[in-house]
Amino acid sequence: MSSHHNGLKTAALLGLLTGLILAVGYWLGGSAGLVLAVIVSLGMNAFSYFYSDKIALRAMGARQVSEAELPGIYAMVRELAAKAGQPMPRIYVSPTMQPNAFATGRNPQNAAVAVTTGILNMLEPREMRAVIGHELSHVYNRDILISSVAAGLAGIVTMLANLAFFLPFMGSDDDDSPNPVGLLLMMILGPLAASIIQLAISRNREFQADASGATLTGDPLALASALEKIHHGTSRVPLPADGQLTSAAHLMIANPFSGGGISALFSTHPPMQERVRRLREQAALTRRW
C-alpha cells in the first residue's frame, strides 16, 4: 500500500512538471524554442541516465573492490539480492571518512553499490545490512530512471526561461506578446517551481527506499539506528558542495553537505527525524502482524 501510494505521488509530481513545461512554453509563445529545449535537455539527461553510475562513482572517488577485500559486505549484498531475486551488483568503496552510501545504475543488471570508509568504520553489521537493503531498493524501485526524468523535465523549464532572453517578442508591438513583468516572473518562478517539484520527487523516493529496504531486510529498527548514526556523522564531517558532488548528492543515503536554515528547504533528502519516525512506525506495525 505504501509503495502504491508513493508511486501515485511520484506520478502526480511528474505530471505537474510536465504541465509546468506546457504552461511556460505557451506563455513564452516560442514553439521552436520549446522543441529545442526538449531535445537538448533530454539529450543531456539521457547521457546522465546511461552514465549515472560512472558520474557518481567518479565524484566520490570510489573504486571497485573484490570479495577478498570485503567479504562481509559481499555476503550481505549477495544475500539481499538473492532474496529480491535480482543479480549481484558491483561493489565500490569511497575513501572519504564521512559515513555515507549510495547505489547507482539504470537497472539491476547495471547496478553498483558504494559505501564509504567512514560508514564501514561506524556501523554494526546489522545496521550495515539495513543500509545495503535501502540502497538496493533504490535500484529495484528504478529511482535512477525517475530522477533522470524529473531532472530532464526541470531542465526543460529552466532552459525555456533562459531562451526568453533570445526570443524576438521582447520588442514586439503585438498585443498578444507577454507582459515584460509577467515574463520576468515566469523566468524566475518557473525554474524555482520546477526545482521544488524535483526535490519533492527526490524526497518521496527516499521515503520509499527506506520502507522497501526495511521490508527487504525485515529490520526497520536497524535502518532507523543506522540513519541516526549517519546523520550525526555527516554533520560532523560535511563534504564540500562542489559541482561533481552536487550532481551525485541525491543518490546518497544522507545529505553529504552541511545543511541548516534555508538550505535545508532545498535538500534532496527529507528530514532525518521524519525518516526515523516512519521506520519506527513500520517496525511497530510489523510486530502487530
Side-chain angles (χ1 to χ4, degrees):
M1 180 67 71
S2 175
S3 177
H4 177 68
H5 182 60
N6 283 328
L8 288 176
K9 287 198 294 184
T10 299
L13 288 167
L14 289 173
L16 279 174
L17 262 177
T18 303
L20 186 59
I21 290 171
L22 296 175
V24 172
Y26 177 79
W27 179 262
L28 297 179
S31 57
L34 177 60
V35 172
L36 177 62
V38 169
I39 293 173
V40 173
S41 185
L42 290 183
M44 290 169 56
N45 285 280
F47 176 84
S48 298
Y49 171 61
F50 285 106
Y51 293 95
S52 59
D53 54 346
K54 295 178 178 62
I55 294 170
L57 292 167
R58 188 179 299 114
M60 289 295 290
R63 68 177 183 89
Q64 190 168 1
V65 293
S66 67
E67 187 166 2
E69 293 176 275
L70 285 179
I73 298 299
Y74 263 81
M76 293 176 188
V77 175
R78 183 176 289 111
E79 176 235 332
L80 293 174
K83 186 176 180 181
Q86 300 289 351
M88 179 77 179
R90 307 186 311 278
I91 298 177
Y92 288 76
V93 171
S94 167
T96 179
M97 292 310 296
Q98 182 189 89
N100 226 316
F102 65 93
T104 184
R106 60 188 182 275
N107 54 44
Q109 289 72 36
N110 295 277
V113 173
V115 295
T116 66
T117 300
I119 203 170
L120 290 173
N121 293 337
M122 173 181 286
L123 298 187
E124 299 173 1
R126 178 185 164 212
E127 295 166 334
M128 194 71 237
R129 179 175 176 271
V131 166
I132 290 171
H134 169 99
E135 296 306 332
L136 289 175
S137 289
H138 273 305
V139 177
Y140 304 155
N141 294 343
R142 301 299 196 272
D143 284 352
I144 301 301
L145 173 60
I146 292 168
S147 62
S148 295
V149 171
L153 293 174
I156 292 170
V157 175
T158 303
M159 194 173 298
L160 280 171
N162 291 336
L163 282 173
F165 281 112
F166 305 102
L167 294 179
F169 56 60
M170 290 298 290
S172 173
D173 294 328
D174 188 351
D175 291 337
D176 293 331
S177 295
N179 181 283
V181 175
L183 178 63
L184 181 61
L185 286 175
M186 180 63 76
M187 291 167 60
I188 296 172
L189 297 180
L192 178 61
S195 297
I196 290 172
I197 295 172
Q198 185 185 0
L199 288 173
I201 291 171
S202 296
R203 292 183 176 205
N204 185 49
R205 295 288 94 192
E206 211 61 46
F207 280 133
Q208 183 167 345
D210 283 344
S212 55
T215 299
L216 177 62
T217 62
D219 199 351
L221 291 180
L223 182 55
S225 174
L227 289 178
E228 288 179 320
K229 289 184 178 180
I230 292 168
H231 179 61
H232 178 68
T234 54
S235 299
R236 287 192 302 109
V237 191
L239 296 181
D242 62 29
Q244 277 196 320
L245 281 176
T246 301
S247 66
H250 69 285
L251 297 173
M252 299 184 194
I253 194 168
N255 183 4
F257 310 129
S258 59
I262 195 68
S263 64
L265 297 176
F266 295 94
S267 171
T268 53
H269 295 71
M272 193 63 79
Q273 299 91 327
E274 177 63 13
R275 294 173 67 182
V276 170
R277 184 189 68 78
R278 292 190 183 200
L279 286 166
R280 287 178 176 158
E281 284 185 356
Q282 184 176 347
L285 287 172
T286 303
R287 283 197 298 269
R288 288 178 198 168
W289 289 100

